[in-house]
Amino acid sequence: AILEKELANEQKNLAAAKKDLAEQENLILPEERTQGGGIQGGKRETRIQGFRDRVQLHERNLDSIRKELANLK
């Protein structure tokens, strides 16, 4: 029962992390623009990487919980 709750929580966390990542990928901050109006990809990538890391963390957590559940059966 505890693992099922953890699984549900991680699924919610993953969905939220994916939503946050999508929002950030569509956002370009003023400090990420160059004078000519272009985009400084390096600054943007650095900012977005933390959101990608969060998604990957929750995906790994889900995999671990599913493995634990499979071992119990």
Side-chain angles (χ1 to χ4, degrees):
I2 293 172
L3 285 176
E4 282 89 0
K5 286 181 184 176
E6 283 186 36
L7 183 66
N9 284 337
E10 274 305 316
Q11 287 170 329
K12 287 179 195 169
N13 291 339
L14 176 60
K18 284 184 175 181
K19 180 178 175 276
D20 290 345
L21 174 61
E23 289 172 359
Q24 292 300 315
E25 286 178 330
N26 291 324
L27 181 68
I28 298 165
L29 299 177
E31 59 268 20
E32 294 168 353
R33 292 236 179 244
T34 61
Q35 278 190 316
I39 299 168
Q40 294 179 345
K43 279 188 175 183
R44 187 172 174 275
E45 284 302 310
T46 300
R47 175 177 57 84
I48 292 173
Q49 189 58 49
F51 291 92
R52 287 189 184 123
D53 291 345
R54 259 185 67 213
V55 168
Q56 290 175 342
L57 170 70
H58 292 300
E59 287 172 341
R60 285 192 306 269
N61 288 349
L62 278 170
D63 287 343
S64 296
I65 294 169
R66 286 185 182 119
K67 284 177 186 171
E68 284 185 48
L69 283 169
N71 289 339
L72 294 176
K73 293 179 181 179

